[in-house]
Amino acid sequence: MNYWLVKQEPGSYSFDDFQKEKKTDWTGVRNYQARNFLRDMQKGDEVLFYHSGDEKAVVGFATVSKEAFQDPTADDPAWIAVELKAGKKLKTPVPLSSIKAEPKLSNILLVRNGRISVMSLTKAEFDQIVKMGS
C-alpha cells in the first residue's frame, strides 16, 4: 500500500464535485516528477485530496481505482493519468499552515515544493494528516 496527496484548485474541480461524480480520471498532469508519482500509483492506494488556491487545505480521501493509462487530454503518450474513486470528507480540513507547523510533516513535498500537484506520502505522514483532520 502506498499513500499519496493530489492537489486541485476547488474553482476548477472541488472535492464536492469529485464526490458527486464518485470517480474521476486524474488527467492534465504535466510535471515530470508528478507524472512519475502517477505511474507509481497502484490500485487500492490511499490518497488525500488537497484544495489549492485560496483554501490551501487537505479536505478528503480518495482511492486509486485504476492504475496508470495514457492521459486522453495529452497528445504525447508519455503523459499518463489514473482513475481515483472519491471517499469521505475529513471531519475538519487540515490547512497548509497546520501542516507546516507540524514537525512530523516537515519533509513532505507539500511543504518543500508547493507547486507539485501529485506527491507521495509515508504512512506516518498520511496518518498524521488524517489525525489532524479527525
Side-chain angles (χ1 to χ4, degrees):
M1 170 86 59
N2 297 303
Y3 301 89
W4 309 96
L5 184 142
V6 296
K7 291 170 55 177
Q8 182 63 40
E9 179 74 47
S12 299
Y13 189 76
S14 70
F15 191 72
D16 288 337
D17 296 332
F18 184 33
Q19 283 190 307
K20 284 177 196 158
E21 291 184 0
K22 298 186 178 19
K23 65 180 182 176
T24 192
D25 291 345
W26 206 257
T27 60
V29 173
R30 299 295 181 268
N31 171 284
Y32 290 104
Q33 186 178 19
R35 186 244 355 238
N36 293 342
F37 286 137
L38 286 176
R39 186 181 293 142
D40 291 341
M41 288 183 173
Q42 297 176 2
K43 189 174 181 177
D45 284 354
E46 295 192 43
V47 181
L48 292 174
F49 193 107
Y50 178 91
H51 278 170
S52 57
D54 292 338
E55 193 172 336
K56 291 184 177 62
V58 177
V59 295
F61 295 97
T63 306
V64 177
S65 50
K66 183 177 177 185
E67 295 178 14
F69 55 91
Q70 184 176 346
D71 185 336
T73 68
D75 294 329
D76 183 342
W79 297 113
I80 59 169
V82 297
E83 182 187 81
L84 298 177
K85 180 181 173 188
K88 300 182 303 184
K89 274 188 174 178
L90 283 171
K91 190 177 225 178
T92 306
V94 181
L96 179 59
S97 57
S98 296
I99 292 170
K100 286 182 173 181
E102 172 52 60
K104 294 176 186 173
L105 300 174
S106 63
N107 288 322
I108 67 172
L109 277 174
L110 185 63
V111 172
R112 294 185 298 126
N113 180 3
R115 299 204 33 89
I116 192 164
S117 63
V118 178
M119 60 199 71
S120 63
L121 297 170
T122 66
K123 179 171 180 10
E125 292 162 345
F126 183 94
D127 289 346
Q128 180 63 38
I129 294 169
V130 170
K131 180 181 172 185
M132 293 166 70
S134 296

